[in-house]
Amino acid sequence: MWDYSDTVKEHFFNPRNAGAVADSNAIGEVGSLSCGDALRLTLKVDPASETILDAGFQTFGCGSAIASSSALTEIIKGMTLDQALKVSNQDIADYLDGLPPEKMHCSVMGREALQSAVANYRGEVWSDDHAEGAMICKCFAVDEVLIEETIRANSLSSVEEVSNYTKAGGGCSACHEGIETILARVLTEQGRSFQPSAPPAKAPERQRVAIGMPLMPKRDQTSAPAEQPSASATVVAAVATAPPAISASVAPPPGSAALAAASPAATSPAAATANKAESGAKARPQLSNLARIRRIEQTIESIRPNLQRDHGDIELIDVDGKNVFVKMVGACSGCQLAAVTLEGIQERICEDLGELVRVLPEQAMAFAQRA
Amino acid sequence: MNTMSPTSMSSDQPNTGIYLDNNATTMVSPEVVEAMLPYFSEQFGNASSMHQFGDRVGRAIKTARQQVQALLGAELDSEIVFTSCGTESDSTAILSAIKAQPERREIITTVVEHPAVLSLCEHLEKDGYSVHRLEVDGQGRLDLAHYQSLLSEQVAIVSVMWANNETGTLFPVEQMAEMAQEAGVMFHTDAVQAVGKLPIDLKTTAIDMLSLSGHKLHAPKGIGVLYLRRGTRFRPLLRGGHQERGRRAGTENSASIVALGKACELAQAHLETERTQVAALRDRLEQGILDVVPNSFVTGDPSNRLPNTSNIAFEFIEGEAILLLLNKLGIAASSGSACTSGSLEPSHVMRAMGIPFTAAHGTTRFSLSRYTTAEEIERVIEAVPPVVAQLRKLSPYWDQDRPATEGQGHQASFQPAYA
Ligand SMILES: Cc1ncc(COP(=O)(O)O)c(C=O)c1O
Ligand code: FES
């Protein structure tokens, strides 16, 4: 059974603005064949100000499709058309206190209906540009089409690279077989061949990619999310198996070593971040210790509201050279995505600070100090 | 993250609801629980051991084997191999057949099998096997002439389900097994949904292998059986100890085996109840709903199906939404909708029967058991029509009291742009 938030349930059982607006002057109709959902959005727009005076929806779809439609109409009422067009899928999901990753596409449909309705009002023709394929990675809701297109666009050749570009495969790893199948097909089409266990090419001198990689070592990723040891424990394992990151030339956990070597560093987004961070470090004057810690604090402060919305939180515990120790609390600690969250926070801090640091859960302090 | 929190959609009052999802799993009968309990405590021995502790367990397993044998009408109790589940039995059967006959590179199955068979066949296809998937007509029936034409010396195994889990539609497996035998081809049937609901007498059939699963007949989860006709060439899936005569190594799950034996005994005693009482309640439910809900119809082959299953398509609304509203009323059913599967794909069974997607997504399966009461059925008949009406009021395909496409005016028909 899906884990719906109370807000999703509330909007499903008591949908707002259900039904068509009687004197509407904008209608959007979209559907998704693959999941069978369809939605009609009717708006009453004030011609002078382009303000949405009223909005109504009719939805053929599951619980979260109905709740997303209800949320969308609540969000856009009173907005101008231009404001409404800026409403993102994430805004809809946030309004509902989150949707299960697999159900994010339900909020996509709401946004498309809105675009279609605005196009209808303005006398334009709207055509949908997103195709949806079979869901491959359930941890991050990544479908086949996206994976395939990303492989083609970036000439990817390994599962690690796919995870790096699309996140798919970066969680529980249960979808690696599916990703390998897509890789094998695309590479064969391109006249290349997929070598799942190709030995990594000689490691570059500086392991730039160490930063921004999932911190979870591969061997801990074979179980389903529910059975996984808490993510913080997993991170500890990563630290334990690899010498902790003291400088930028880190030996990454075994899982990411292959990636570091296999991906052309310049094209990998993680490497790009690292590059940016490094060049930033050169350009910027060295920060004093205090200023440095302040800036880390600021970055963490700016991230907190996001985590709090998901009923989690983060706290800065210590900064020790290149290691930033944090404490994950609430829903974030032990959540299967905690390691991914840490990864994202690490990227942010690296960017804001203009240097490479490593964000670790406080449990890793013992290991890091021993080394 | 809040979306990860458990229990969020569960009904507030567990076990007070009306359970009409017996094709997914069944309640363990109290008599079965009672029978198995000693095997967690005083009867803890290993059946292979040379002492009284082991011996007592060994005897209990023997009794259970005979109880299963009796329900299946198998000629010998040595034809019963205990496994961990229906899926393991399916995998063992198919993999054994291809290992034992390496020169045969084809498999015949159907498009509507359970994933336990379909996914395995897909996987074998990647290894170079040719898989013939028999198609079904609008009512889920097979074309036996086409089947006949596919039987050849290239075929390692035919695997066809006895009863479909979604619609309850029965396949003529006894006849198909004979056709396979004529052609010298091994025949396996996934009878996970059929065992305990229909009389089965394997010794009078040409079926070589049959899978069953305990949790579909009021035994616990995690216990299954592979019936293996004496003389059928076999290669084990798990090798190791000599348990199950070396055909399935691993120390026996004695408590569950005892439970399954008891459950088979009870099922046999209640076969007539299934045919009469359960079928009558099912028919009452179905008629009660179809009489008052417009644009609804039964999927599958109503004249040839399990006595406990009714699969009704409610057009223009979506199954997960139906289930959520029913769940709020304490009624448990299941759906062929995309959104309930986790895969976001509508049911392959509904697609195979060519059910239009505006109906396929609204298919709702009610599966009864001998524990279902007439009173419960009346309550469901009361509850369903308002749920359907409530969702249709939200549906863009629906207009007041009829499908939008049948209305008048330019606004009447809903034609979304599809992704
Ligand atoms: C037809 C059919 N085959 C196989 C299975 C799988 O059985 P088990 O859950 O015991 O592995 C099921 C159960 O859903 C089924 O309905
Ligand atoms: S399903 Fe892709 S990482 Fe978990």
Side-chain angles (χ1 to χ4, degrees), chain B residues 120-178:
Chain B
L120 177 64
C121 287
E122 239 169 71
H123 182 71
L124 291 171
E125 238 169 4
K126 290 183 196 150
D127 289 345
Y129 285 87
S130 305
V131 178
H132 307 285
R133 296 175 183 81
L134 301 171
E135 307 212 325
V136 295
D137 66 11
Q139 296 188 306
R141 294 171 303 199
L142 296 172
D143 174 357
L144 291 190
H146 181 226
Y147 167 60
Q148 179 72 60
S149 72
L150 291 172
L151 288 167
S152 79
E153 281 181 6
Q154 301 307 311
V155 179
I157 188 167
V158 178
S159 180
V160 171
M161 68 201 320
W162 199 312
N164 186 272
N165 45 308
E166 291 190 32
T167 60
T169 303
L170 305 177
F171 282 148
V173 286
E174 288 158 301
Q175 187 187 349
M176 294 175 82
E178 279 178 18

Side-chain angles (χ1 to χ4, degrees), chain A residues 1-5 9 12-13 15 18 24 27 29-40 57-64 66 97-103 105 126 128 130 134-135 138 177 181 309-311 331-332 335-337 341, chain B residues 1-10 123 126 314-318 320-325 327-328 337-346 357-359 361-362 390-391 393-398 404 411-419:
Chain A
M1 200 139 198
W2 300 108
D3 293 331
Y4 287 137
S5 72
K9 282 190 271 182
F12 169 67
F13 289 125
S24 65
I27 300 179
E29 296 182 342
V30 295
S32 151
L33 267 186
S34 67
C35 68
D37 289 351
L39 166 61
R40 173 197 277 143
F57 78 87
Q58 291 160 283
T59 295
F60 168 78
C62 60
S64 49
I66 289 172
D97 288 331
L99 283 171
E102 296 95 326
K103 292 284 192 164
H105 71 105
W126 178 83
D128 176 60
H130 104 281
M135 182 73 65
K138 295 192 177 166
E177 182 179 355
T181 309
R309 210 182 36 228
D310 285 341
H311 307 292
C332 290
C335 151
Q336 55 153 330
L337 296 178
T341 309
Chain B
M1 298 196 188
N2 58 346
T3 52
M4 302 285 170
S5 72
T7 72
S8 46
M9 271 335 261
S10 55
H123 182 71
K126 290 183 196 150
F314 298 107
E315 288 186 272
F316 311 115
I317 54 176
E318 196 272 343
E320 185 200 279
I322 300 173
L323 297 187
L324 292 175
L325 289 177
N327 185 52
K328 210 174 173 215
S337 116
C339 284
T340 57
S341 64
S343 70
L344 304 181
E345 296 267 327
F357 87 104
T358 46
H361 284 280
Q390 180 181 344
L391 290 171
K393 243 166 62 190
L394 292 180
S395 171
Y397 292 106
W398 194 257
Q411 263 227 31
S413 75
F414 174 62
Q415 292 190 324
Y418 280 111

Side-chain angles (χ1 to χ4, degrees), chain B residues 179-214:
Chain B
M179 291 161 72
Q181 192 176 51
E182 297 266 296
V185 176
M186 254 187 224
F187 190 92
H188 165 253
T189 181
D190 175 342
V192 165
Q193 292 293 348
V195 174
K197 296 174 191 156
L198 301 172
I200 291 179
D201 192 26
L202 287 175
K203 59 183 170 299
T204 63
T205 73
I207 293 167
D208 297 304
M209 294 188 267
L210 172 146
S211 303
L212 73 87
S213 178

Side-chain angles (χ1 to χ4, degrees), chain B residues 23-24 85-87 90 114 116 161 163 165 190 192-193 213 215-216:
Chain B
N23 285 12
C85 59
T87 303
D90 288 342
H114 189 270
M161 68 201 320
N165 45 308
D190 175 342
V192 165
Q193 292 293 348
S213 178
H215 71 104
K216 310 282 186 182

